[in-house]
């Protein structure tokens, strides 16, 4: 078959696809180098050894590692298995053995709850490396639950009439300081958000206390109104910030305290019906002009347009319960409002890594596949954190202590709090555009294999800097 095609605007140009030693995935070498430093394949071989007794061409650890690389590289379609079998970088990473889509699906059908727990052990080993390498002494754990749409034929997939769809409800925990994924669990929608939250949070607290993390704080919304979690945090001396619902008894206590055009903060000692004792509750009564929805939509189309604000008919009440007595009322709400960054991390996990596409009819298989997807997210986040992290502008201000407030130049800027972000990290889409999109020509000799990249590649200095940083990282030793 002749694959050569002549172009009409210039007959000297011929186009063909006959040279297989050209790849556009040369960036996968940097991911493989990073995974080699973390001994990912050895960790998989340790916790998920091959148990099948018949003769097999592809072992279980090799297939799971291939799935991790495939998810990181955004090769989510089944057709990509065919292309990857011919790609020289994929062949080099996996020692010239690429498992087909049918081989991977057969292995997926054998996964169970023990594999899920073993994958979580791998995540803990990598997180220990992260704590030791980055010298983590403080952490803010942000909890949230999200929806995971799925087919109606899946086990424990609950139908939600309001949305006309079936879905699961995974529970996530992120680090509020740098948006690292800490832990996760897949659960059916029929269970309330707080059903598995006590054991989930207890395992997180015990893990970080065992690894000498001194300051631990938790933040979660009103979907987790469980006093067992509050009691656990108080026993373990962990600070927490919990958003409360608008209870009528709370509103009656502060109903006459509002003022127009400004926010008022009030402290209360409040005991809910299910609580054993009173706790500190901070109330924020906000009655200010807010931007209208029409103005937001108009400014999305044309950012130069001015904001159109409108006064609300009634004040807005917000309540947060906390056991941190060192923070003032304003600081409590400032710390809690930074929890909104978790929505960006969840969106990145779902849209950037396809973690919300679970297609197996068995729930235990979906739970294990969910762990594989989120292990790929953790590896990408650590790659981004160790190689591309920059000191944020806010951290520089705190470090230099020379920032001047714009309203009063004689007044020094207040010292930044611990919950503010310390680093700036590129998004996954930016990472894939700048570092991960590198075509190369493969040149082989008797002793070496050369990947000749384009001299016009705009981010070659950044890519070489990333490789140098990876090679200087200490290796994770597997016993």
């Amino acid at each position: 078959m002749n694959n050569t095609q002549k172009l009409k605007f210039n007959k000297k140009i011929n186009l063909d696809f006959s040279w297989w030693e050209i790849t556009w995935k040369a960036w996968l070498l940097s991911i493989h180098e990073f995974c080699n430093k973390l001994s990912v394949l050895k960790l998989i071989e340790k916790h998920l050894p091959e148990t099948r007794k018949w003769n097999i061409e592809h072992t279980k650890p090799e297939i799971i590692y291939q799935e991790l690389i495939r998810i990181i590289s955004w090769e989510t379609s089944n057709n990509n298995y065919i292309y990857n079998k011919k790609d020289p970088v994929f062949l080099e990473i996996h020692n010239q053995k690429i498992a087909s889509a049918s081989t991977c699906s057969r292995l997926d059908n054998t996964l169970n709850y023990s594999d899920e727990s073993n994958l979580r052990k791998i995540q803990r080993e990598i997180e220990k490396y992260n704590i030791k390498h980055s010298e983590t002494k403080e952490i803010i754990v942000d909890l949230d639950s999200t929806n995971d749409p799925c087919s109606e034929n899946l086990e424990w997939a609950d139908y939600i009439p309001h949305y006309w769809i079936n879905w699961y409800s995974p529970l996530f925990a992120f680090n509020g300081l740098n948006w690292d994924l800490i832990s996760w669990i897949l659960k059916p929608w029929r269970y309330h958000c707080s059903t598995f939250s006590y054991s989930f949070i207890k395992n997180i607290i015990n893990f970080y206390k065992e690894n000498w993390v001194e300051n631990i704080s938790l933040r979660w919304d009103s979907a987790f109104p469980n006093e067992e979690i509050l009691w656990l945090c108080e026993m373990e001396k962990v600070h927490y910030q919990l958003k409360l619902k608008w209870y009528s008894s709370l509103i009656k206590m502060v109903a006459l305290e509002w003022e127009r055009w400004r926010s008022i903060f009030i402290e209360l000692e409040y005991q809910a019906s299910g609580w054993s004792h009173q706790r500190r509750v901070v109330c924020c009564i906000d009655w200010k002009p807010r931007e209208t929805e029409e103005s937001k939509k108009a400014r999305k189309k044309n950012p130069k347009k001015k904001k159109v604000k409108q006064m609300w008919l009634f004040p807005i009440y917000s309540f947060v319960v906390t056991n941190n007595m060192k923070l003032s009322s304003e600081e409590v709400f400032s710390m809690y409002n930074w929890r909104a960054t978790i929505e960006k991390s969840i969106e990145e996990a779902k849209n950037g890594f396809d973690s919300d596409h679970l297609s197996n009819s068995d729930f235990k298989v979906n739970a294990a596949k969910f762990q594989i997807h989120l292990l790929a997210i953790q590896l990408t986040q650590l790659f981004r954190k160790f190689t591309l992290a920059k000191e944020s502008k806010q951290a520089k201000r705190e470090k230099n202590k020379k920032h001047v407030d714009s309203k009063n130049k004689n007044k020094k800027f207040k010292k930044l709090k611990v919950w503010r972000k310390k680093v700036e990290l590129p998004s996954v889409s930016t990472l894939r555009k700048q570092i991960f999109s590198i075509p190369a020509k493969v040149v082989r000799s008797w002793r070496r294999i050369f990947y000749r990249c384009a001299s016009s590649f705009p981010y070659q200095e950044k890519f070489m800097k990333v490789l140098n940083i990876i090679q200087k990282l200490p290796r994770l030793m597997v016993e």
Side-chain angles (χ1 to χ4, degrees):
M1 180 179 178
N2 187 12
N3 292 327
T4 305
Q5 181 68 39
K6 292 184 179 181
L7 303 182
K8 292 185 178 180
F9 76 91
N10 191 343
K11 294 183 179 180
K12 294 181 180 180
I13 299 176
N14 294 331
L15 181 67
D16 67 74
F17 293 90
S18 60
W19 197 347
W20 292 109
E21 292 295 289
I22 291 180
T23 179
W24 60 275
K25 300 174 183 175
W27 61 270
L28 279 176
L29 297 171
S30 62
I31 290 288
H32 184 59
E33 183 80 3
F34 181 72
C35 292
N36 186 40
K37 280 288 183 179
L38 297 183
S39 306
V40 175
L41 185 57
K42 291 182 180 180
L43 285 172
I44 298 173
E45 291 173 350
K46 175 185 175 183
H47 295 285
L48 292 165
E50 180 59 69
T51 56
R52 295 174 292 178
K53 296 182 180 179
W54 57 86
N55 294 329
I56 52 175
E57 183 179 358
H58 307 282
T59 62
K60 186 176 181 179
E62 290 174 352
I63 296 175
I64 292 176
Y65 184 68
Q66 178 183 322
E67 287 290 296
L68 287 174
I69 298 296
R70 186 178 67 86
I71 295 167
I72 294 172
S73 62
W74 194 237
E75 302 288 342
T76 55
S77 173
N78 287 334
N79 294 329
N80 289 319
Y81 285 96
I82 302 171
Y83 307 145
N84 293 340
K85 277 195 167 187
K86 299 178 181 179
D87 191 273
V89 175
F90 259 88
L91 290 170
E92 194 66 37
I93 288 175
H94 301 294
N95 298 323
Q96 309 298 324
K97 295 190 298 181
I98 303 294
S100 63
S102 58
T103 304
C104 294
S105 62
R106 283 196 298 270
L107 177 69
D108 290 343
N109 293 329
T110 63
L111 298 175
N112 50 37
Y113 291 120
S114 63
D115 294 326
E116 180 195 8
S117 62
N118 289 330
L119 285 165
R120 195 173 285 112
K121 290 178 183 177
I122 296 173
Q123 183 265 338
R124 295 297 189 196
E125 292 286 341
I126 297 174
E127 184 61 22
K128 286 180 182 178
Y129 176 88
N130 178 26
I131 294 171
K132 185 177 179 180
H133 178 71
S134 58
E135 298 180 355
T136 304
K137 297 299 180 184
E138 57 192 12
I139 186 172
I140 298 177
V141 182
D142 288 333
L143 298 177
D144 203 357
S145 183
T146 185
N147 61 331
D148 189 353
C150 57
S151 173
E152 61 181 2
N153 300 323
L154 304 190
E155 184 183 11
W156 291 0
D158 298 324
Y159 178 71
I160 313 299
H162 182 73
Y163 298 100
W164 292 13
I165 198 171
N166 297 70
W167 61 33
Y168 293 128
S169 178
L171 181 63
F172 290 94
F174 286 89
N175 185 355
L177 295 177
N178 51 23
W179 306 299
D180 283 349
L181 185 60
I182 295 174
S183 187
W184 54 83
I185 185 173
L186 184 69
K187 62 184 182 66
W189 179 264
R190 68 189 69 175
Y191 296 111
H192 193 266
C193 296
S194 59
T195 303
F196 302 104
S197 57
Y198 178 79
S199 58
F200 183 72
I201 294 172
K202 186 177 181 181
N203 292 333
I204 293 174
I205 293 174
N206 292 338
F207 171 76
Y208 282 103
K209 282 193 173 290
E210 289 171 1
N211 289 277
W212 308 101
V213 178
E214 299 172 356
N215 300 323
I216 305 175
S217 300
L218 271 78
R219 298 184 295 199
W220 64 95
D221 56 15
S222 57
F224 301 87
N226 194 342
E227 200 208 2
E228 291 183 353
I229 303 175
L230 303 181
W231 177 82
L232 173 67
C233 295
E234 290 166 355
M235 292 295 294
E236 297 289 343
K237 297 181 180 180
V238 172
H239 296 309
Y240 61 80
Q241 284 80 33
L242 166 63
K243 185 75 172 289
L244 292 179
K245 294 182 179 179
W246 289 17
Y247 295 115
S248 58
S249 56
L250 276 171
I251 295 178
K252 286 179 182 178
M253 298 171 70
V254 296
L256 301 177
E257 300 293 337
W258 51 265
E259 289 185 20
R260 288 195 177 194
W261 307 104
R262 72 188 190 95
S263 300
I264 297 177
F265 296 93
I266 303 171
E267 290 199 16
L268 307 170
E269 290 293 329
Y270 176 73
Q271 180 179 355
S273 58
W275 294 357
S276 58
H277 61 277
Q278 291 185 343
R279 291 182 169 90
R280 181 193 180 194
V281 176
V282 180
C283 173
C284 176
I285 307 174
D286 193 7
W287 201 358
K288 293 180 179 179
R290 293 177 179 267
E291 187 179 5
T292 61
E293 293 297 328
E294 292 78 7
S295 174
K296 291 180 181 178
K297 292 179 182 178
R299 288 201 308 115
K300 278 186 178 180
K301 297 179 180 178
N302 187 4
K304 294 182 180 180
K305 285 192 174 183
K306 294 183 178 180
K307 293 182 181 180
V308 178
K309 295 185 178 182
Q310 187 177 8
M311 195 69 179
W312 285 56
L313 292 176
F314 303 99
I316 298 175
Y317 297 90
S318 302
F319 301 94
V320 174
V321 58
T322 181
N323 63 343
N324 193 342
M325 301 301 176
K326 296 181 180 179
L327 298 179
S328 64
S329 302
E330 294 86 351
E331 291 171 344
V332 168
F333 268 90
S334 177
M335 180 176 184
Y336 181 81
N337 289 337
W338 271 89
R339 180 187 169 275
T341 55
I342 191 176
E343 302 297 338
K344 177 184 175 182
S345 303
I346 293 176
E347 181 184 2
E348 188 177 79
K350 293 170 69 175
N351 299 335
F353 294 91
D354 233 12
S355 63
D356 58 341
H357 287 185
L358 302 174
S359 56
N360 199 288
S361 59
D362 200 343
F363 180 79
K364 62 178 180 290
V365 175
N366 286 329
K369 288 177 68 176
F370 189 71
Q371 296 290 332
I372 294 175
H373 276 268
L374 297 180
L375 182 59
I377 295 172
Q378 184 192 28
L379 291 172
T380 308
Q381 288 178 342
L382 291 184
F383 176 88
R384 180 175 60 180
K385 177 182 174 181
F386 290 156
T387 60
L388 297 169
K390 293 182 180 179
E391 193 176 21
S392 67
K393 295 178 182 178
Q394 296 168 344
K396 288 179 181 177
R397 290 171 184 171
E398 181 184 11
K399 189 175 180 180
N400 298 330
K401 296 181 181 180
K402 294 180 181 179
H403 177 70
V404 179
D405 193 280
S406 59
K407 295 182 180 179
N408 186 3
K409 295 185 177 181
N410 296 324
K411 184 179 178 181
K412 290 186 177 180
F413 184 73
K414 291 183 179 179
K415 186 178 179 181
L416 291 171
K417 302 301 177 185
V418 68
W419 55 87
R420 303 252 179 164
K421 61 179 183 180
K422 301 293 185 181
V423 295
E424 290 180 351
L425 300 173
S427 63
V428 174
S429 59
T430 304
L431 193 68
R432 285 174 174 147
K433 287 178 183 177
Q434 295 186 0
I435 304 297
F436 289 0
S437 300
I438 304 178
K441 172 185 174 183
V442 184
V443 179
R444 300 180 185 273
S445 66
W446 287 103
R447 296 183 180 181
R448 299 284 186 271
I449 300 174
F450 297 94
Y451 287 85
R452 304 290 189 186
C453 302
S455 59
S456 59
F457 181 63
Y459 304 107
Q460 52 183 304
E461 293 183 4
K462 183 182 286 188
F463 182 76
M464 297 306 293
K465 184 180 179 181
V466 164
L467 278 179
N468 291 331
I469 293 173
I470 291 172
Q471 291 172 355
K472 292 178 182 178
L473 290 174
R475 184 177 295 276
L476 193 155
M477 305 303 296
V478 180
E479 297 179 358

